[in-house]
Amino acid sequence: MVFLCFTSCIDQKLHIRNVQNPGALDIDGVYLSETNKEDPREIACSVIFLYRNSVMVTGGVYKSDLKNNFDGTMEKFASLAREKTDFGVYDISKGEIYMEFWEPSSGGPLKTTINKARIIDKRNFIITYMKSNYKGAERLVDELYKFYPVKHKPDSTNNFIR
């Protein structure tokens, strides 16, 4: 007897949210983790693109590439083939942004991670809380994200979020 399991049919689902206050953050560019960017032990910097349809594209870029050619690095990031774990959804409500995205898996179904951030102003937010749905692990975080304008923003179109 052969048993096949396709993880895409049992992954946790993300759902588009109704963003209550879409003007609370500038979304015509990219948010970079200033914490990763300034930490000499880190070689990569976290990136978040937010879209009006509550979709977000996340990932990382090499800090050395950012220093040498910011626009080229963002354009390269935008042109990469997108995987399910590159996408997420967000909601803005009462001065906070809630983000949910798939976490890479080592073989089982994909689970999600939920981040909660406090909006400082239209161009800055601090992620303060993170919960992984793999083991239910929760932790407090203090990670500043700062807005940077970009020439080319990747498209949010994907086959993973409905």
Side-chain angles (χ1 to χ4, degrees), residues 2-161:
V2 175
F3 178 73
L4 296 175
C5 177
F6 297 98
T7 60
S8 64
C9 63
I10 55 175
D11 290 346
Q12 286 185 335
K13 298 202 182 317
L14 301 179
H15 301 283
I16 296 294
R17 290 164 164 65
N18 181 16
V19 178
Q20 299 296 314
N21 186 4
L25 286 171
D26 191 342
I27 60 172
D28 294 323
V30 62
Y31 284 88
L32 296 179
S33 168
E34 295 297 302
T35 307
N36 287 9
K37 200 168 126 190
E38 301 304 322
D39 188 341
R41 297 170 295 170
E42 298 284 338
I43 61 168
C45 182
S46 300
V47 175
I48 300 175
F49 285 95
L50 302 174
Y51 297 86
R52 295 190 197 312
N53 61 359
S54 90
V55 169
M56 57 187 254
V57 175
T58 66
V61 296
Y62 290 109
K63 292 192 307 185
S64 58
D65 293 344
L66 278 177
K67 277 185 191 169
N68 297 331
N69 183 359
F70 181 85
D71 286 323
T73 300
M74 288 299 112
E75 196 159 325
K76 182 179 175 185
F77 178 87
S79 69
L80 294 175
R82 296 284 168 215
E83 297 179 19
K84 192 172 194 173
T85 54
D86 295 331
F87 290 95
V89 294
Y90 74 96
D91 187 17
I92 296 174
S93 179
K94 297 179 183 168
E96 294 181 319
I97 179 169
Y98 298 86
M99 298 171 270
E100 184 177 16
F101 52 91
W102 286 286
E103 218 178 305
S105 168
S106 60
L110 293 177
K111 303 261 183 175
T112 62
T113 292
I114 298 168
N115 288 348
K116 182 172 97 171
R118 180 174 46 86
I119 297 172
I120 299 170
D121 56 38
K122 287 183 74 73
R123 293 180 162 226
N124 296 281
F125 61 83
I126 297 176
I127 295 178
T128 58
Y129 169 84
M130 182 181 292
K131 178 181 179 186
S132 169
N133 286 314
Y134 273 105
K135 295 180 181 176
E138 299 177 56
R139 65 185 174 107
L140 297 178
V141 183
D142 184 20
E143 190 167 347
L144 174 65
Y145 278 78
K146 183 177 176 183
F147 175 85
Y148 293 88
V150 293
K151 290 181 181 176
H152 301 285
K153 190 172 171 182
D155 188 0
S156 69
T157 304
N158 67 82
N159 295 322
F160 312 115
I161 300 173

